[in-house]
Amino acid sequence: MFCDFSAPYLFFFSSDAPALLYYSHVPTALFAIVFGIFVYLQNKKELPNKLLLVLTVLFALLNILNLLAWVNIDSRVVTSAWLLSQVVYLTIPILSLYLYQVFVHKRDIKFFTKILGGLVIVVFSGAVALGLTMSSFDLVNCELVETSFLQIYQTTIFSAVFLALLVSFIKMLRENSLSENERKGAVIFTAGLFLFLFMLIFTWQIASVMDNFELEQYGLFGMVIFLGFLGYLIVRFKAFDIKMIGAQALVFSLVVITGSQFFYAKNTTDIVLDLASFALVAVAGYFLIRSVKKEVERKEELEKLSRSLAVANDRLEELDKQKSEFISIASHQLRTPLTAIRGYISLALEGSYGKMDNPEITDLFHKIYTIDLRLSQLVEDLLNVSKIEAGKVQYKWDETSLEPVVRELYDMFIALAKKKGLSIAYEEPKTPLPIMTLDVNKIKEIVSNLIDNAIKYTEKGGVTISIESDTTVARVVIADTGIGISKEDAERLFGKFIRTETTKKMDTGGSGLGLFVGKTFVEAHGGRVYAESDGVGKGSRFIVELPFINPNKNL
Ligand code: ADP
């Protein structure tokens, strides 16, 4: 049987069709289904993603069935589409409630609740199949005449769904376990879902009561609003476990919008133009998303790396601190016995414990003394390093002149140089230096280490110690005719534990710490220390440069 009015036929435009009919049905269905598939594909295992897909598919089905009922004049087609759409229409709010529970509370609902929901749908489907929801077909208006059973059943279920949604929403707001962001997300989700259901059900129920089915078209836009909210949730809060980015959302909407233009194409030119712009948007969008995605991945990787680096760094700093503490304690404990040993040996050599008439034993005692001295120096260096690293070096500033300090050290080393068969000389500055602000002990430590090194690393020739100056700085220069330093080494020697390859092979002992400590001390005076050499085997010059005015004297 056919309706006796010229209905718009299937998907072709007709002036009889309500203006919004295609716009409300086809693009919204398409948009929903594409959105649902997109979310599902991003994370197939997550229950909310699956539920959203089913919901969007059902929504699209509802649109198509509704459209079929609208545009057909064959009463059998209209009836089947109409009846089937009743089942889908009832299922949507129930499934929405399920999605709400799973999305907001992040866990599946109880089995019993599922059965209950399923039962409501099954009973209704049975009623539809038995013809309890339609009383007759109105051929004049080309529509079904619905029964009051349908009205009551639907109203009851929809009211129950809204009530459950409301109760659950209030409960969620009171829950303390949700974080600020989770709560925000849940509120936005609920608002979107509520708008969707409300718009759909409200307009459709009114349409049915008022027998004005044109109202139905407006209800469908609720889905677009809901999906818009979801899009925001995805971009802002990574909802549905999707790391979607703004660019993706933009391209996605552009593709849907340009894609939906096809439904309004009136002639071939329109179709060609639509097709070209669609292809352009799709291709450009693809490349845009790809590059943005790569950028985001790189950023995330970097963030991850810097987080683990920060952790490693903290750990390293902690370890470094522990090491310094350990060295400091160990060195303090070592220092005292080493000094005591030297004291006893000195006494023995002086004959305090009886005459030392065995030259072999005397020689042995001298050797022990030297080794002990070297060990003490090492302990001193280690102690200094640990103090430097802990930032605990203290300076005691004195207003004094530099010359006597250097002179005293020169005097101290004459014997050692002579013993090794080396010449040693001291050249006073041509004009006397002004009084300077110095930590005398630290200066002694630096300069004596440099003279000691010069003697240690020279086999032939000698060592010259001199003081030069210009208008602002004094320079203590320790020059030797020893093993020399290569250009690269000259720069790195002032680091911790650095010794040149040549030195390592020599039997001189040494820790590679003296220059590091010295550099720190000189810099505390506002000066610098550096090495010069014409190359390996050609002697070296170590220069300690100190400004006349110490910039740190008030620290
Ligand atoms: P140490 O002498 O205990 O090894 P230093 O920090 O005083 O430690 O010196 C670091 C390294 O610099 C030495 O091991 C040596 O390789 C090099 N060096 C220092 N002074 C001289 C010098 N006068 N001639 C050649 N090399 C030197």
Side-chain angles (χ1 to χ4, degrees):
M1 272 194 285
F2 288 90
C3 300
D4 53 3
F5 73 103
S6 62
Y9 222 87
L10 284 174
F11 288 90
F12 298 102
F13 255 79
S14 147
S15 51
D16 290 342
L20 268 170
L21 192 59
Y22 290 93
Y23 194 53
S24 61
H25 285 68
V26 183
T28 44
L30 227 124
F31 183 63
I33 226 165
V34 172
F35 197 101
I37 292 175
F38 173 77
V39 167
Y40 173 69
L41 288 182
Q42 296 289 316
N43 206 332
K44 291 186 197 154
K45 286 196 204 101
E46 291 293 313
L47 186 56
N49 301 37
K50 288 183 202 164
L51 288 178
L52 185 71
L53 177 64
V54 178
L55 186 66
T56 51
V57 168
L58 282 182
F59 175 79
L61 187 63
L62 183 70
N63 283 13
I64 304 304
L65 290 171
N66 192 264
L67 193 62
L68 276 179
W70 265 104
V71 298
N72 256 284
I73 50 168
D74 184 337
S75 67
R76 280 161 308 172
V77 179
V78 175
T79 308
S80 326
W82 197 303
L83 290 180
L84 198 56
S85 80
Q86 287 176 344
V87 177
V88 178
Y89 178 54
L90 186 93
T91 312
I92 286 178
I94 296 174
L95 193 76
S96 301
L97 188 61
Y98 185 13
L99 175 64
Y100 170 84
Q101 292 293 345
V102 174
F103 184 89
V104 172
H105 298 292
K106 304 207 162 33
R107 55 168 188 268
D108 203 352
I109 55 171
K110 288 194 197 95
F111 184 63
F112 171 74
T113 325
K114 279 188 211 171
I115 294 285
L116 193 70
L119 221 60
V120 169
I121 298 166
V122 170
V123 167
F124 184 72
S125 309
V128 172
L130 290 173
L132 296 179
T133 56
M134 79 174 269
S135 54
S136 58
F137 194 87
D138 174 359
L139 274 179
V140 180
N141 289 315
C142 203
E143 63 190 32
L144 284 193
V145 179
E146 298 175 334
T147 60
S148 48
F149 163 79
L150 174 82
Q151 300 285 349
I152 294 169
Y153 198 98
Q154 281 179 338
T155 313
T156 316
I157 299 304
F158 295 157
S159 308
V161 167
F162 276 114
L163 195 70
L165 203 60
L166 192 72
V167 171
S168 186
F169 181 64
I170 293 173
K171 249 195 198 160
M172 180 276 295
L173 285 183
R174 290 201 179 151
E175 231 172 76
N176 292 328
S177 60
L178 292 181
S179 73
E180 189 58 28
N181 271 354
E182 281 173 335
R183 197 182 299 268
K184 257 191 218 160
V187 170
I188 294 171
F189 182 85
T190 317
L193 189 68
F194 180 80
L195 274 176
F196 159 56
L197 288 181
F198 184 77
M199 282 178 74
L200 182 69
I201 291 170
F202 190 71
T203 52
W204 282 42
Q205 291 305 99
I206 293 215
S208 152
V209 172
M210 290 174 51
D211 204 22
N212 175 3
F213 292 100
E214 283 196 23
L215 276 175
E216 287 180 351
Q217 315 161 69
Y218 302 103
L220 299 177
F221 292 111
M223 181 53 129
V224 180
I225 298 176
F226 178 41
L227 295 183
F229 277 40
L230 290 189
Y232 174 74
L233 286 178
I234 290 172
V235 175
R236 177 79 178 75
F237 297 114
K238 301 194 171 69
F240 296 99
D241 247 3
I242 299 174
K243 291 200 189 102
M244 189 158 90
I245 35 203
Q248 256 169 309
L250 187 75
V251 169
F252 178 70
S253 347
L254 277 178
V255 166
V256 172
I257 291 168
T258 36
S260 65
Q261 292 298 317
F262 284 114
F263 297 100
Y264 312 107
K266 296 207 176 70
N267 48 43
T268 336
T269 328
D270 278 359
I271 293 180
V272 172
L273 280 177
D274 287 346
L275 204 69
S277 57
F278 181 77
L280 204 73
V281 168
V283 172
Y286 170 75
F287 284 110
L288 178 71
I289 289 177
R290 218 174 64 160
S291 71
V292 173
K293 238 183 176 169
K294 256 192 206 147
E295 197 67 23
V296 168
E297 270 167 20
R298 213 169 302 149
K299 209 176 106 201
E300 278 177 354
E301 196 120 306
L302 270 178
E303 272 169 12
K304 221 161 83 198
L305 262 177
S306 76
R307 266 198 303 275
S308 60
L309 261 182
V311 172
N313 207 23
D314 285 350
R315 177 91 191 106
L316 272 180
E317 264 173 27
E318 177 61 22
L319 278 175
D320 207 48
K321 219 171 102 200
Q322 284 175 2
K323 180 204 71 186
S324 298
E325 267 165 28
F326 166 76
I327 292 180
S328 164
I329 292 167
S331 311
H332 275 297
Q333 304 303 323
L334 284 170
R335 218 188 199 176
T336 325
L338 284 174
T339 318
I341 293 171
R342 271 206 313 285
Y344 291 130
I345 290 185
S346 292
L347 286 174
L349 286 170
E350 282 161 14
S352 303
Y353 304 113
K355 231 171 161 256
M356 294 282 287
D357 41 14
N358 186 336
E360 266 177 46
I361 292 188
T362 313
D363 190 42
L364 191 72
F365 270 44
H366 276 294
K367 276 189 182 139
I368 295 174
Y369 189 91
T370 317
I371 292 168
D372 185 290
L373 203 61
R374 210 187 278 169
L375 209 54
S376 288
Q377 187 53 50
L378 175 66
V379 170
E380 204 58 43
D381 283 344
L382 286 173
L383 205 59
N384 278 327
V385 170
S386 73
K387 274 193 206 150
I388 289 169
E389 284 180 348
K392 284 191 189 150
V393 186
Q394 286 189 341
Y395 294 89
K396 195 175 146 292
W397 302 123
D398 281 320
E399 299 293 320
T400 178
S401 57
L402 181 62
E403 295 101 317
V405 181
V406 179
R407 162 118 233 161
E408 187 191 325
L409 292 174
Y410 159 72
D411 289 338
M412 236 176 73
F413 278 99
I414 294 176
L416 188 68
K418 290 270 145 66
K419 201 169 149 209
K420 210 176 164 187
L422 299 174
S423 66
I424 184 160
Y426 172 62
E427 289 166 13
E428 290 270 348
K430 290 181 189 81
T431 49
L433 300 176
I435 295 292
M436 293 164 68
T437 311
L438 305 171
D439 181 325
V440 175
N441 283 331
K442 302 275 188 310
I443 295 292
K444 275 189 185 164
E445 212 167 318
I446 309 155
V447 178
S448 74
N449 180 47
L450 293 180
I451 304 176
D452 189 45
N453 279 350
I455 298 173
K456 207 156 66 171
Y457 301 120
T458 304
E459 295 305 323
K460 268 204 317 270
V463 178
T464 313
I465 303 151
S466 56
I467 301 182
E468 300 167 358
S469 68
D470 59 28
T471 48
T472 53
V473 294
R475 289 188 200 91
V476 183
V477 182
I478 295 102
D480 65 54
T481 54
I483 58 172
I485 311 162
S486 68
K487 222 186 177 67
E488 309 83 68
D489 280 342
E491 275 156 27
R492 27 174 240 122
L493 278 186
F494 296 88
K496 246 186 289 177
F497 299 108
I498 304 288
R499 310 191 68 211
T500 64
E501 286 310 313
T502 340
T503 333
K504 278 187 205 157
K505 284 178 213 140
M506 292 167 73
D507 181 27
T508 53
S511 59
L513 288 174
L515 291 181
F516 170 74
V517 172
K519 177 173 179 270
T520 313
F521 289 174
V522 174
E523 282 169 359
H525 285 76
R528 65 188 185 118
V529 54
Y530 53 98
E532 291 174 351
S533 171
D534 290 336
V536 177
K538 295 185 177 154
S540 329
R541 280 158 56 85
F542 281 79
I543 297 125
V544 178
E545 191 177 279
L546 297 164
F548 291 148
I549 313 247
N550 180 344
N552 301 325
K553 65 179 174 186
N554 294 322
L555 297 183

